[in-house]
Amino acid sequence: MSERSYYEILGVSKSASEDEIKKAYRKLAIQYHPDKNKGDKAAEEKFKEATEAYEVLREPKKRQAYDQFGKAGVSGMGGQGFGSGAYTDFSDIFGDFGDIFSDFFGGGGGGGRSQRRSGPRRGSDLRYNLEINLEDAALGKEYKIDIPRLETCPDCRGTGASKGSSPSTCPDCGGSGQIRRTQGFFSVATTCSKCGGRGSVITNPCRTCRGEGLVEKRRTINIKVPPGVESGSRLKVSGEGESGPNGGPNGDLYVVMHIRKHPVFEREGNDLIINKKIPLYMACLGGEIEVPTIDGKAVKMKINEGTESGQIFRLKGNGIPYLGSYGKGDQLVVVTIEIPKKLTKKQRELMEEFAKESDASSSTSKFKIFG
């Protein structure tokens, strides 16, 4: 065993907190675990020394004795040497990694993953992508969607066994769902291959679900899209996911919104943007135009004298509602001046007269007209 200090082995300072020590050990244990490094003696030794260091530093009294007297201070406290019985419960450090280590340690005293399989489990969540129009996102709408999902088999009621029979205790694991064996210095619990961790086997499977306890069905669900949703918004429908195995609760359904591109409006947050062309004379003289809105109605908007191309007019409250709140965004009208490509004789005469008048009133510039 290494002569390095326990702090060096774990790669932490002497002032490291309990949480820092735990994280450091967890990282090393995952890296050097024997089942991930089969036949690698060096990795096995590193795993042993990391565990020995953690056994001591995790307990305040042992750590204090070690800080004062070194390894000699803890030699009589059961803290030195992995497998001495001082520390065998790994659940406090691998609690977040149960899926990785439950087959190694059985979940630490509390029942590992394979044992938990034998009881009711929550069904899987489902995702449904719903494509909607911008109008529906602004005004809200109710949709009917058809989803495939796994539901409890109506014939066996989820047991997987045919009518008149029931699952029997697995002969290999005795109902525990695990096969436990000793490998060197630690005990290994693996999922029972015969029952798949359920603890029971089905000798006479249900013909409808073929022993799975679940069957695929299609279900029509009404979805109410609230005003104000945007692309990526998720609507949660509780309990409309797949049925849970062994009588467990249903999962949830998540409906994800995808909004189609609109031919007229562009959305920016809760504001709507629309481009509107106006004739040249209106830009000069002013006037009034009709502007479409997202609810299908047209509103009148005043154009001021001297309006420039690219100028933005704001129609307050004609945008998208705020989701789950009050009020709406605005509608922004971007004005573009439409220049006529051909003029009538009368229009040209008037325009030339306008040009001469403008030229006469200008003290700085002279313009030449080509015709």
Side-chain angles (χ1 to χ4, degrees), residues 346-365:
K346 180 67 174 178
Q347 287 173 332
R348 185 170 184 83
E349 289 174 355
L350 291 173
M351 188 62 71
E352 287 175 351
E353 185 65 30
F354 175 77
K356 290 177 183 177
E357 186 69 25
S358 299
D359 195 38
S361 63
S362 174
S363 59
T364 58
S365 302

Side-chain angles (χ1 to χ4, degrees), residues 21 33 44 55 78 100 111 114 122 136 154 188 207 256 287 350:
I21 290 172
H33 194 280
E44 183 176 321
E55 285 182 356
I100 301 174
S114 54
R122 183 178 180 276
D136 300 337
V188 177
R207 292 185 178 182
V256 183
L350 291 173

Side-chain angles (χ1 to χ4, degrees), residues 24-162:
Y25 174 59
R26 181 164 53 191
K27 182 179 178 181
L28 292 172
I30 292 173
Q31 182 178 356
Y32 295 116
H33 194 280
D35 274 19
K36 291 184 67 177
N37 301 274
K38 293 186 182 295
D40 189 340
K41 293 296 183 181
E44 183 176 321
E45 285 302 313
K46 287 181 179 180
F47 181 76
K48 287 181 180 180
E49 68 177 10
T51 302
E52 178 182 318
Y54 182 67
E55 285 182 356
V56 172
L57 299 184
R58 67 185 288 267
E59 296 186 19
K61 288 184 178 180
K62 291 181 181 180
R63 183 177 180 180
Q64 184 178 8
Y66 175 75
D67 288 344
Q68 286 183 313
F69 307 107
K71 292 184 179 181
V74 294
S75 60
M77 300 177 71
Q80 190 172 354
F82 181 81
S84 61
Y87 179 62
T88 55
D89 182 6
F90 289 85
S91 60
D92 65 332
I93 55 170
F94 294 130
D96 296 335
F97 294 84
D99 286 346
I100 301 174
F101 285 91
S102 58
D103 285 344
F104 299 154
F105 305 113
R113 178 179 59 183
S114 54
Q115 285 182 328
R116 291 194 296 270
R117 283 181 179 172
S118 61
R121 289 184 290 133
R122 183 178 180 276
S124 298
D125 293 334
L126 294 177
R127 171 181 172 135
Y128 186 93
N129 294 314
L130 180 63
E131 191 175 48
I132 64 174
N133 296 323
L134 183 60
E135 289 87 349
D136 300 337
L139 307 175
K141 187 176 179 179
E142 189 167 306
Y143 284 85
K144 285 186 177 181
I145 63 173
D146 188 44
I147 59 168
R149 68 179 188 182
L150 293 176
E151 296 185 2
T152 300
C153 177
D155 290 344
C156 68
R157 296 183 180 180
T159 64
S162 62

